[in-house]
């Protein structure tokens, strides 16, 4: 029975490989359209935080003139947009638009006795211009909140009485400062408003606000806090739907902030309802704005080229410079990062981008793409079934059939889970199969003592294995070809499992599947005496594994020396290959294959080499990175790894020959 089943599986395996190849062709067609999509947005927008400018101006002898001077400096440096937060009474006070008092202070100001039963907020406008611009905004805001507003005047200045405590009044948010907005518009800046969800959602107020934004040339907004405008009232009012419709009506899009610990609540839904009129924005924080301009310049240019960033949010701050005995700001440092010596603008333009209003990607999605994805799904299931067959041969066809049924069910119930789960399965399967076949190829090879044939076969095996591993790449890209992944609204799931599984499965195959049977090999290993050497080896492997996992993913830390090395690679090649590939795994594969062609124990080295095969696939799971960049990074890693590996083989050959010579002499 088992012999018949084995014959059926052997024939079926050929058909499954054919299905996999057809799936590769179908997925490559989808990859082409993904690349076309990535070429549709080529403008980069620089946004500066206007609030930082106001905060820094209080350390200057003439705050108003300082702001005007810095606006000119930033404009000349290429900054075309200013981010403006929602205003508050406190901000109007800081900007010298109004004076604020509580009831006691207002009584003292007027020479009256304080009313102990009154706890109101009093304000005076700085002048007629401030009164005309701000009074309607303040009155509307507080009256909409049910807070009574009365007129008040003192010493020739007009003002208002807000019947709410001072501490409560200064917390209420209002539209952006219209006086500052006019100043910025007159200077030629585009406004990027920052909105919060701190106030109840008022559809009419939102309509008026966005209409005002459109009149002032606003094309994109940025959210402040942990939720988008309208999120808290969405269940009661469907406020997100209304907000999205109003945004679409006025032609205003969104900016997605890179690197948040958690996505802003409601952003994904709002992005969907605005037809993904979204661009990604990267921030330079206040503290980082004093970093080395060259480091900042490299960071900005890499963000555009490597991570599809199309907007930069530039913050600034002041600090005490004890060497000059004065307060200095970081605006000049930011300008240096953009121009010389940071040269961010020149590098970005050299990479084919221009500066201007950031545009969203125009998704290229032909009608045939859904059918190509269907073929890709079938091919992905076949690839996973093939991987299973190398460990449990008799369940291959059952795994394929069950996989197809499961894929069909997930497509109906949860299509996103289907694409993410299948992409992870394919990403694990291809490098695992590639390494298993590499081990098999070594086992089937005859022992060869000559240098030339061993070198040629080692190089050929490395290239063959790498190509097999990269079969997963078009599958992953095609299965997850959705703008939500490019914008990092969704992400590839299961990175930790991807890091572990191909290495673990390769180790499992090397230890248990190269003998007469799995059970006999397992018994042989388990019956070996536990020595101090084995304990030491386990500790070393565990430590290396922990370090490997801690360095993998977005949370991994990088030393300053490695940062310098990365910068050197980036500046030398234009795209930085992965260190773990060309410095470690690929050379180890080549040296291990060279050794194993003479000494079969060299196959145990393949357990480490599997890291490189996995890493190549993992490079393409960074779906916010352009496909071309990932491809160049992978090819560079293979090329450099091949060179270093051949050098390693030469070193091993010298050691091998020296050992042979010394061994003969020792015997004598």
């Amino acid at each position: 029975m088992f012999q018949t089943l084995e014959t059926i599986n052997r024939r079926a395996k050929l058909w499954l490989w054919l299905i996999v190849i057809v799936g590769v062709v179908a997925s490559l067609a989808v990859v082409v359209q993904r690349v076309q999509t990535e070429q549709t947005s080529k403008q980069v927008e620089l946004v500066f935080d206007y609030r930082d400018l106001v905060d820094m101006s209080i350390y200057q002898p003439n705050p108003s003139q300082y702001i005007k001077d810095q606006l000119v400096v930033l404009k000349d440096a290429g900054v075309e947009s200013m981010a403006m937060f929602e205003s508050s009474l406190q901000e109007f006070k800081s900007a010298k638009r109004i004076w604020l008092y509580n009831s006691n202070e207002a009584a003292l100001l007027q020479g009256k006795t304080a009313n102990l039963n009154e706890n109101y907020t009093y304000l005076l406008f700085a002048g007629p211009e401030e009164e005309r611009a701000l009074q309607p905004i303040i009155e509307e805001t507080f009256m909409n909140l049910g807070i009574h507003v009365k007129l008040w005047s003192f010493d020739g200045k007009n003002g208002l009485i807000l019947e709410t405590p001072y501490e409560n009044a200064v917390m209420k948010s209002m539209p952006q400062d219209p006086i500052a907005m006019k100043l910025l518009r007159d200077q030629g800046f585009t406004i990027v408003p920052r909105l919060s969800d701190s106030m109840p959602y008022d559809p009419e107020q939102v309509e008026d606000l966005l209409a005002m934004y459109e009149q002032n040339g606003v094309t994109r907004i940025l959210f402040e806090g942990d939720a988008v405008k309208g999120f808290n009232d969405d269940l009661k009012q469907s406020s997100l739907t209304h907000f999205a419709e109003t945004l679409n009506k006025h032609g205003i899009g969104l900016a997605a902030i890179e690197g948040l610990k958690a996505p802003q609540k409601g952003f994904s839904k709002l992005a969907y309802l605005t037809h993904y009129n979204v661009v990604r924005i990267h921030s330079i924080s206040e503290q980082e704005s004093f970093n080395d301009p060259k480091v900042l310049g490299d960071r900005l240019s890499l963000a555009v080229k490597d991570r599809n960033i199309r907007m930069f949010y530039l913050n600034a701050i002041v600090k005490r410079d004890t060497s000059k005995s004065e307060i200095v700001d970081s605006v000049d440092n930011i300008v240096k990062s953009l121009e010389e010596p940071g040269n961010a603008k020149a590098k970005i333009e050299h990479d084919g981008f221009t500066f201007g209003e950031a545009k969203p990607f125009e998704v290229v999605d032909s009608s045939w793409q859904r059918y190509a994805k269907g073929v890709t799904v079938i091919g992905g299931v076949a690839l996973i079934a093939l991987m299973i067959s190398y460990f449990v041969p008799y369940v291959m066809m059952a795994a394929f059939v069950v996989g197809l049924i499961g894929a069909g069910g997930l497509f109906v119930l949860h299509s996103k889970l289907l694409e993410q789960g299948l992409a992870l399965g394919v990403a694990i399967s291809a490098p695992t199969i590639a390494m298993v076949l590499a081990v098999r190829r070594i086992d089937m090879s005859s022992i060869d003592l000559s240098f030339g044939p061993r070198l040629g076969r080692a190089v050929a095996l490395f290239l063959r294995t790498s190509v097999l591993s990269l079969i997963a790449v078009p599958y992953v890209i095609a299965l997850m070809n959705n703008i939500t992944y490019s914008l990092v609204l969704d992400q590839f799931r299961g990175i930790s499992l991807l890091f572990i599984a191909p290495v673990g499965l390769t180790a499992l195959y090397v230890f248990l599947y190269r003998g007469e049977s799995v059970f006999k090999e397992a018994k042989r290993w388990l019956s070996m005496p536990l020595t101090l050497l084995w304990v030491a080896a386990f500790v070393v492997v565990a430590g290396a594994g922990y370090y490997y996992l801690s360095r993998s993913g977005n949370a991994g830390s990088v030393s300053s020396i490695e940062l310098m090395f990365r910068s050197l690679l980036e500046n030398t090649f234009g795209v930085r290959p992965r260190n773990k590939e060309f410095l470690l795994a690929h050379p180890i594969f080549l040296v291990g294959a060279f050794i194993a062609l003479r000494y079969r124990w060299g196959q145990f080295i393949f357990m480490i080499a599997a890291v490189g095969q996995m890493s190549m696939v993992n490079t393409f799971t960074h779906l916010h990175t352009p496909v071309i960049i990932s491809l160049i990074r992978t090819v560079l890693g293979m090329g450099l790894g091949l060179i270093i590996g051949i050098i390693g083989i030469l070193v091993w050959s010298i050691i091998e020959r020296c050992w042979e010579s010394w061994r003969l002499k020792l015997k004598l």
Side-chain angles (χ1 to χ4, degrees), residues 291-299 336-337 341-343 347 567:
N291 288 354
D292 185 338
K294 292 183 179 179
V295 174
L296 286 178
D298 286 342
R299 174 172 161 183
K336 288 180 179 178
S337 70
N343 295 312
K347 292 175 182 177
S567 179

Side-chain angles (χ1 to χ4, degrees), residues 250-542:
H250 295 285
I252 299 175
L254 313 175
I257 303 173
E258 182 189 41
L260 292 177
K261 292 182 179 180
Q264 290 173 310
K265 298 172 185 175
F267 192 94
S268 293
K269 180 177 180 179
L270 198 59
Y272 171 76
L273 294 172
T274 55
H275 314 296
Y276 296 106
N277 184 2
V278 179
V279 298
R280 300 185 71 222
I281 187 168
H282 177 78
S283 298
I284 302 295
S285 70
E286 286 91 347
Q287 289 72 27
E288 293 169 334
S289 64
F290 273 111
N291 288 354
D292 185 338
K294 292 183 179 179
V295 174
L296 286 178
D298 286 342
R299 174 172 161 183
L300 295 174
S301 62
L302 286 176
V304 174
K305 181 176 64 177
D306 283 12
R307 302 198 303 279
N308 282 333
I309 295 296
R310 295 297 180 265
M311 295 181 77
F312 288 107
Y313 194 94
L314 307 175
N315 290 280
I317 198 173
V318 297
K319 72 175 183 179
R320 289 178 171 83
D321 189 338
T322 55
S323 63
K324 298 180 181 179
S325 300
E326 63 181 9
I327 301 292
V328 296
D329 63 54
S330 55
V331 173
D332 183 58
N333 199 63
I334 289 174
V335 171
K336 288 180 179 178
S337 70
L338 294 172
E339 298 179 335
E340 292 184 351
N343 295 312
K345 289 171 59 182
K347 292 175 182 177
I348 290 171
E349 289 173 339
H350 178 266
D351 291 328
F353 298 89
T354 58
F355 286 89
E357 179 189 328
K359 303 285 187 181
F361 288 108
E362 298 176 9
V363 178
V364 180
D365 186 5
S366 299
S367 58
W368 52 261
Q369 198 176 116
R370 68 184 67 180
Y371 304 109
K373 283 188 175 182
V375 175
T376 301
V377 168
I378 298 172
V381 173
L383 187 61
I384 295 171
L386 284 168
M387 187 270 291
I388 294 173
S389 73
Y390 288 104
F391 296 91
V392 190
Y394 303 115
V395 303
M396 182 185 70
M397 287 308 298
F400 178 63
V401 173
V402 171
L404 288 180
I405 295 172
L410 281 177
F411 177 77
V412 175
L413 299 175
H414 201 315
S415 59
K416 185 172 293 185
L417 182 60
L418 167 63
E419 63 190 22
Q420 292 179 344
L422 193 57
L424 175 61
V426 167
I428 291 172
S429 297
T432 300
I433 292 173
M435 290 305 302
V436 167
L437 292 179
V439 173
R440 286 189 171 188
R441 177 70 55 120
I442 292 291
D443 279 332
M444 292 187 295
S445 300
S446 58
I447 299 295
D448 197 335
L449 304 180
S450 54
F451 175 81
R454 285 170 71 192
L455 175 62
R457 288 160 70 181
V459 171
L461 184 62
F462 168 69
L463 296 176
R464 175 179 178 271
T465 303
S466 298
V467 170
L468 281 174
S469 294
L470 291 174
I471 283 178
V473 170
Y475 276 99
V476 170
I477 296 173
L479 288 168
M480 310 188 82
N481 184 40
N482 191 302
I483 191 62
T484 58
Y485 295 104
S486 297
L487 297 173
V488 198
L489 302 177
D490 286 313
Q491 297 189 60
F492 182 91
R493 303 294 179 184
I495 287 292
S496 297
L497 186 58
L498 175 58
F499 287 147
I500 296 171
V503 179
L505 290 172
T506 300
L508 181 68
Y509 193 88
V510 170
F511 275 103
L512 300 182
Y513 283 82
R514 295 174 52 242
E516 185 177 340
S517 74
V518 173
F519 298 106
K520 288 184 178 180
E521 286 298 305
K523 182 178 180 180
R524 183 172 70 86
W525 285 106
L526 291 172
S527 62
M528 285 184 178
L530 185 63
T531 64
L532 186 61
L533 181 62
W534 278 106
V535 175
F538 175 79
V539 171
V540 171
V541 170

Side-chain angles (χ1 to χ4, degrees), residues 110 123-124 150-161:
Q110 299 174 91
L123 68 88
L124 289 174
K150 295 189 296 188
L151 297 177
W152 177 57
S153 63
F154 174 75
D155 196 23
K157 300 288 186 181
N158 293 328
L160 298 171
I161 301 174

